[in-house]
Amino acid sequence: MLKRGFLYAGIALYVASFMLSLPYPNNMNTYASVTALTVPLKTTDGLYMEGIFSILCLMASIVCFTKCVTQLKSAAIIIPIVVYLVLPSVAIPMYQAYFAKGMYALSYEQEEAACQLTALNEQQLQLYCELPLQNYSNEPVNVGVEFIDDDEVMKQLNAQAPYTIEVPAKLDGRIVIDEVLVNETKKVPYVQSTSNFAIRFVENDKKRTM
């Protein structure tokens, strides 16, 4: 009976840990300065309590699991950690494919994103961005795109954000933003480029960090 109690407690703690750690709908790793097992523990705003509680629940669940077995205790430690790391990459796309709507059905490959800002003259800038997106839903999604301020180029881009895009149903490819912007600083070099950047979706009064 005692082992059964540890098993139930371990499962409950593990599920709580997993739910707290999911980088969905907002990916808090964008703001993370300290992480453990890909979970942010500290962000630019300070300690991230959800991440801290997630790791504490994971550790407590593993202790409970080891109390349930008399042999192969190492497996009771390794298997939960491996599942903890792998399961989000499976669970999130499945949820998006079957249940998510609007901007919550979109995924974004940050590592493949790129933008170029070209000064046409003292008053105008040409913005060209390629955003690798996947729309899991059966309907097109119209959202605004903001850039997470990270450097001077991003600040320039965000000055006139959000940029409206339409992501076709079931798209797995690139969406292009191609617009002429007002040069508000007059200091932009002829060409500036940036890549591997975080973005934020805007839909009505809701926002989602990718």
Side-chain angles (χ1 to χ4, degrees):
M1 291 297 294
L2 184 59
K3 288 186 177 181
R4 183 178 297 179
F6 278 121
L7 177 61
Y8 291 156
I11 293 173
L13 288 166
Y14 192 78
V15 171
S17 174
F18 177 73
M19 297 303 294
L20 287 170
S21 71
L22 280 177
Y24 182 88
N26 292 299
N27 183 8
M28 295 306 295
N29 282 301
T30 299
Y31 308 105
S33 56
V34 178
T35 62
L37 297 176
T38 72
V39 177
L41 304 181
K42 186 177 182 181
T43 68
T44 52
D45 293 328
L47 294 177
Y48 184 59
M49 300 310 297
E50 286 188 20
I52 293 173
F53 285 139
S54 175
I55 294 298
L56 290 176
C57 287
L58 176 63
M59 294 171 62
S61 71
I62 290 175
V63 171
C64 291
F65 291 145
T66 58
K67 297 289 186 180
C68 296
V69 296
T70 55
Q71 297 179 338
L72 299 176
K73 288 185 179 292
S74 59
I77 297 173
I78 295 172
I79 292 175
I81 292 175
V82 171
V83 173
Y84 185 83
L85 293 172
V86 174
L87 192 56
S89 63
V90 177
I92 293 174
M94 286 184 64
Y95 174 81
Q96 289 180 302
Y98 292 103
F99 303 106
K101 301 293 183 182
M103 67 178 178
Y104 298 105
L106 301 179
S107 66
Y108 169 63
E109 294 295 332
Q110 177 175 329
E111 296 79 7
E112 300 178 16
C115 276
Q116 181 171 289
L117 196 61
T118 305
L120 301 177
N121 49 55
E122 291 187 356
Q123 289 77 38
Q124 293 181 311
L125 304 171
Q126 181 70 48
L127 170 64
Y128 183 86
C129 293
E130 292 188 355
L131 306 179
L133 300 173
Q134 183 168 359
N135 181 3
Y136 286 90
S137 75
N138 293 315
E139 299 178 356
V141 177
N142 290 279
V143 293
V145 175
E146 295 178 343
F147 299 90
I148 306 297
D149 286 352
D150 190 44
D151 56 29
E152 288 303 316
V153 179
M154 291 292 100
K155 291 178 181 177
Q156 282 283 336
L157 301 185
N158 252 1
Q160 297 172 60
Y163 303 95
T164 301
I165 62 172
E166 179 177 299
V167 186
K170 295 298 182 182
L171 173 81
D172 185 4
R174 296 176 181 271
I175 293 294
V176 171
I177 298 175
D178 189 0
E179 295 192 19
V180 175
L181 310 181
V182 176
N183 186 357
E184 297 181 345
T185 67
K186 317 299 183 187
K187 297 180 181 179
V188 179
Y190 183 68
V191 177
Q192 284 187 316
S193 299
T194 187
S195 59
N196 192 10
F197 47 83
I199 62 174
R200 184 184 298 112
F201 290 136
V202 182
E203 189 176 55
N204 299 322
D205 59 343
K206 298 179 180 179
K207 295 188 177 185
R208 180 183 171 209
T209 300
M210 303 299 292

